[in-house]
Amino acid sequence: MRKILCLTFMIALATIIANVALAQAPNDLKIDLQREITPIPQEHKEPAKEQGEIVRFDYKVGDGEKYACVYLPYGYNSETRYEIFYVMHGGGDKVDKVLGAPGTSLEFKNALDHLISEKKIRPIIVVAPTFNDSARLAGAQNGMFGDVGVFPRELAENLMPKLEATYKTYAESTDEDGLVNSRSRRAFGGFSMGAVTTWNVLCEDLRYFRVLMPISGDAWQIKPMGGKDAPEETVAALVDAVKKQGYGKDDFIVYAITGDRDIAFPNLDPMIRVMQKNDDVFGDNVYYRVKPGGFHTIPALQEYLYNAFQDLYRM
Ligand code: FER
């Protein structure tokens, strides 16, 4: 009897430990800040032998319809759980700008195929949504500022629950608990206005994401370009928002990337410097990579993702 009790206890304990490990932190992040950001090699821009696909994912927002472009890795199957990376495009761009349109196989998508088939990264799902129309559909303030302002809610209420019920991620259910418990396997990043969106996601949706990747764009919590004009106040607003959500510095990382010739560099750089000196909810959970000579372009964004994915998802 005692043996059985003991065994039951051990199994229960092992299950708890395994679940906690899954939910908290696969500390498998091996971010080497000394490693250069390298261009996507030409051979990785060519079609791979083992190809994933980009599919269209339709979802409802209010009375309207929207869609996201979703990269499913080669061999995707609903028996396997996949980590998921959401990536938002920049201002003036469309939903198909980052990954390419559904059914296409452009250079960046080919590069993802190669990274996965050569086992440089784990098979992941990448979702490229759009903030375009978000404000209008939410009945809120219109324009780009309104769009990126309401997108975190659309993400939480309309996109993620439906998408992750359709494609298999670490969310065991797509209610609040299921999405929150799988946050260590979910990341959000974005470029330019997509970076502004990412900071907004940090402030509102941190319960769903462990990794936030603002690329070439500052936080507009105080005002547009506040990362340059009001870096201390901007970071203070981020600190408040993180605390209000009940998180601390061990619960998430910010992995910011830009180029030193990027027009957003002067906006992002000062606020990141302030964040790195913070010893409250930021500090050594803030990773910062700057590509010498990097400009504010979609190919630069794709190059940064190509490199960053090898940090986040290395096998
Ligand atoms: C920045 C954040 C966002 C930035 C530009 C933007 C130049 C976006 C501009 C746009 O898409 O119109 O720091 O720096």
Side-chain angles (χ1 to χ4, degrees):
M1 187 62 188
R2 269 184 65 180
K3 254 191 193 157
I4 292 175
L5 269 180
C6 190
L7 193 67
T8 312
F9 176 74
M10 298 289 278
I11 291 171
L13 193 66
T15 310
I16 290 168
I17 290 171
N19 279 333
V20 167
L22 185 73
Q24 298 287 311
N27 221 329
D28 48 6
L29 293 179
K30 301 173 191 110
I31 300 173
D32 175 6
L33 293 171
Q34 303 310 313
R35 195 169 60 78
E36 253 184 88
I37 297 175
T38 56
I40 302 174
Q42 187 54 40
E43 64 271 22
H44 276 193
K45 295 180 179 175
E46 311 289 341
K49 223 183 251 156
E50 297 182 341
Q51 297 186 12
E53 60 174 334
I54 294 167
V55 298
R56 175 184 166 121
F57 182 77
D58 291 284
Y59 65 104
K60 280 201 167 58
V61 186
D63 295 329
E65 298 272 345
K66 284 181 78 164
Y67 73 92
C69 297
V70 181
Y71 172 80
L72 298 175
Y74 171 79
Y76 169 83
N77 69 85
S78 58
E79 305 303 307
T80 308
R81 294 194 184 279
Y82 295 87
E83 288 155 282
I84 187 162
F85 191 101
Y86 290 81
V87 55
M88 181 58 81
H89 62 74
D93 283 336
K94 296 220 164 77
V95 65
D96 56 7
K97 196 72 186 184
V98 180
L99 290 172
T104 63
S105 201
L106 303 181
E107 289 181 350
F108 178 59
K109 183 265 185 189
N110 291 342
L112 287 177
D113 288 342
H114 281 286
L115 286 177
I116 291 167
S117 68
E118 293 173 23
K119 300 202 180 329
K120 290 189 170 9
I121 66 169
R122 301 189 284 278
I124 55 169
I125 295 173
V126 185
V127 181
T130 178
F131 54 66
N132 295 334
D133 279 340
S134 290
R136 186 175 59 74
L137 293 173
Q141 177 201 347
N142 218 329
M144 205 153 59
F145 193 78
D147 283 330
V148 302
V150 304
F151 184 79
R153 214 175 75 208
E154 174 180 320
L155 175 67
E157 292 178 5
N158 306 109
L159 178 56
M160 266 193 324
K162 188 170 176 218
L163 189 135
E164 297 195 31
T166 305
Y167 298 112
K168 191 86 162 190
T169 65
Y170 280 83
E172 289 187 13
S173 62
T174 55
D175 55 10
E176 184 72 4
D177 278 355
L179 292 170
V180 171
N181 290 339
S182 50
R183 69 184 288 280
S184 68
R185 308 298 186 131
R186 191 176 298 106
F188 193 98
F191 171 69
S192 194
M193 280 315 282
V196 178
T197 315
T198 304
W199 294 112
N200 290 347
V201 167
L202 170 79
C203 289
E204 283 182 48
D205 286 344
L206 195 51
R207 64 196 180 284
Y208 306 122
F209 298 94
R210 175 169 173 244
V211 176
L212 287 308
M213 190 178 292
I215 299 178
S216 301
D218 62 322
W220 290 8
Q221 266 56 36
I222 301 296
K223 56 179 175 176
M225 313 303 167
K228 172 170 68 97
D229 297 332
E232 303 280 352
E233 295 91 327
T234 298
V235 173
L238 298 180
V239 169
D240 273 357
V242 169
K243 285 185 172 172
K244 220 174 255 167
Q245 296 172 92
Y247 291 100
K249 64 160 38 152
D250 294 333
D251 299 320
F252 67 100
I253 71 160
V254 171
Y255 185 155
I257 321 180
T258 191
D260 64 5
R261 307 204 48 194
D262 192 299
I263 50 162
F265 175 82
N267 307 330
L268 180 61
D269 191 71
M271 66 170 284
I272 295 291
R273 303 288 175 197
V274 173
M275 289 173 78
Q276 289 179 320
K277 277 191 250 140
N278 186 271
D279 57 6
D280 197 342
V281 305
F282 299 119
D284 55 14
N285 59 345
V286 177
Y287 297 84
Y288 183 40
R289 303 190 70 179
V290 178
K291 163 96 179 178
F295 288 99
H296 198 75
T297 65
I298 301 284
L301 157 70
Q302 292 166 330
E303 175 178 323
Y304 302 158
L305 290 175
Y306 176 87
N307 280 266
F309 284 174
Q310 295 177 67
D311 288 328
L312 298 181
Y313 305 115
R314 196 180 308 167
M315 295 188 86

